[in-house]
Amino acid sequence: MYIILAPMPQTDSIGRATFHYIPHETGVRPTEREIRWLKHIERHGPQSSVYLYELTRDTHRCKDTALRAMQKLRAGGFLTLPRQQRVTERAEFNPYIYDFTKRSRDFLVDHDLAEPTIRPTGHWWHAYATACVTSSIDIAAAKVGVRYIPGHHILAKKDAPLGIPTSMGTVIPDQLFALDYGGSFRAFALEVDRGTEPKTSTAARKSYARSIAQYAEIIERGLHRNHYGLKANLLVLWVFACRRDQDSFLDLCGGLSSTAQSSILTIHGGSVSAAPGSLVNLGAWMRAAGEDVSLVVE
């Protein structure tokens, strides 16, 4: 007895492309807007269609047209859909997450547009959450005339590695960037916590206490200035999945100096969502001690 398996459908019931298949298109050439999307993914990492649309909404307001353009880039081999996004509940109702392909990288290289950017590393969902945070900050800053400076530009000043040596070991931020407010600058080290381990556990509290102490040493001794060649102050941004984790973390910061506490900012919520529906609320970053701060206001 033979069992014949039906082939995987290549389109849905009304002939549209599916997550697993899209008909290949030849002759696809990225437009100026689409090159902005490719460069944004190169800079930050995998991006939701929500963020890509928001990036170019200043010049192209139609969302449906943007989504069709992303699908065209996918059909032309310039974008791909990472399989990890399919594990979310009712994934078919979430915005697609797009990432680079070799063809998109080759296109940027051939047109002298490629850069040695710092792509988020580690577990895919952690890397994606990191990309969401930096992408949203980049987009929101641009809307008010603040320039986002990616980490590879900072590292190039002294050809430095990302990790900063301290007396307790090397600290490697999830991401590094700076903001230019028109001639004055702030540098930022980013740490993203997706809430996969309870902050009340002994192991988690020890790990966070160590990270906090290392960053406090960096801030108080100005280690980032010598390591990266920066003159700007360093702020450390910690992003949490929920308010409870944020509060547990802030409890651990209570014994720090006022300088260190004022340089540690935290936020919780939608920035680490698997399917982001809005940009990070940049006006609600909470200092470990002191008033809340907006990243896009000097």
Side-chain angles (χ1 to χ4, degrees):
M1 177 179 176
Y2 294 94
I3 298 175
I4 300 176
L5 299 178
M8 180 178 293
Q10 294 185 339
T11 59
D12 65 11
S13 59
I14 59 174
R16 297 175 301 187
T18 66
F19 179 89
H20 298 286
Y21 175 81
I22 188 171
H24 179 70
E25 292 186 21
T26 60
V28 173
R29 300 285 294 178
T31 64
E32 184 176 342
R33 171 179 62 167
E34 293 158 5
I35 291 173
R36 288 180 67 187
W37 290 341
L38 297 181
K39 289 291 296 176
H40 198 71
I41 294 173
E42 177 191 44
R43 170 179 286 186
H44 297 286
Q47 293 290 301
S48 161
S49 60
V50 173
Y51 281 50
L52 293 177
Y53 165 68
E54 189 68 29
L55 174 69
T56 57
R57 191 159 63 93
D58 57 337
T59 57
H60 298 76
R61 294 184 177 275
C62 180
K63 186 174 184 179
D64 288 340
T65 301
L67 296 178
R68 287 194 295 270
M70 293 173 207
Q71 188 177 69
K72 179 200 71 176
L73 288 179
R74 180 186 165 208
F78 290 94
L79 292 178
T80 187
L81 300 178
R83 58 179 176 79
Q84 290 89 343
Q85 63 187 287
R86 297 298 292 172
V87 304
T88 59
E89 184 178 2
R90 301 186 69 81
E92 66 274 15
F93 293 99
N94 290 330
Y96 277 169
I97 301 167
Y98 290 100
D99 204 353
F100 246 17
T101 65
K102 182 180 183 301
R103 184 171 188 184
S104 54
R105 165 59 64 183
D106 291 344
F107 175 85
L108 294 181
V109 170
D110 291 342
H111 290 78
D112 294 324
L113 297 172
E115 297 180 85
T117 55
I118 305 171
R119 294 263 299 189
T121 59
H123 187 278
W124 189 88
W125 283 108
H126 180 271
Y128 174 59
T130 301
C132 285
V133 176
T134 57
S135 170
S136 63
I137 293 171
D138 189 355
I139 293 169
K143 291 182 183 297
V144 294
V146 175
R147 183 170 67 97
Y148 180 98
I149 303 173
H152 67 283
H153 287 182
I154 298 173
L155 299 184
K157 290 174 66 67
K158 293 185 66 174
D159 194 23
L162 180 60
I164 304 176
T166 73
S167 63
M168 293 171 279
T170 299
V171 175
I172 304 177
D174 288 333
Q175 192 55 280
L176 174 72
F177 64 94
L179 295 178
D180 175 4
Y181 300 90
S184 61
F185 302 84
R186 287 175 178 159
F188 299 88
L190 176 66
E191 296 287 346
V192 176
D193 184 282
R194 295 184 53 243
T196 54
E197 184 177 8
K199 300 300 168 291
T200 53
S201 72
T202 301
R205 290 184 69 84
K206 285 184 177 179
S207 175
Y208 270 91
R210 179 181 175 84
S211 294
I212 291 168
Q214 288 177 307
Y215 274 114
E217 180 183 349
I218 290 171
I219 293 165
E220 290 165 354
R221 295 179 56 195
L223 299 182
H224 67 287
R225 300 181 191 277
N226 290 331
H227 184 73
Y228 295 137
L230 291 175
K231 297 179 180 179
N233 292 329
L234 179 71
L235 296 176
V236 186
L237 310 180
W238 251 288
V239 181
F240 296 94
C242 65
R243 180 61 180 267
R244 183 180 61 256
D245 287 347
Q246 182 187 31
D247 290 343
S248 296
F249 173 85
L250 289 172
D251 286 342
L252 296 173
C253 296
L256 299 179
S257 67
S258 59
T259 300
Q261 288 194 48
S262 64
S263 299
I264 292 176
L265 309 181
T266 66
I267 197 172
H268 68 88
S271 58
V272 291
S273 168
S278 61
L279 298 179
V280 174
N281 181 0
L282 296 177
W285 289 86
M286 181 184 297
R287 291 185 189 270
E291 297 180 353
D292 293 354
V293 64
S294 169
L295 302 191
V296 298
V297 177
E298 186 182 359

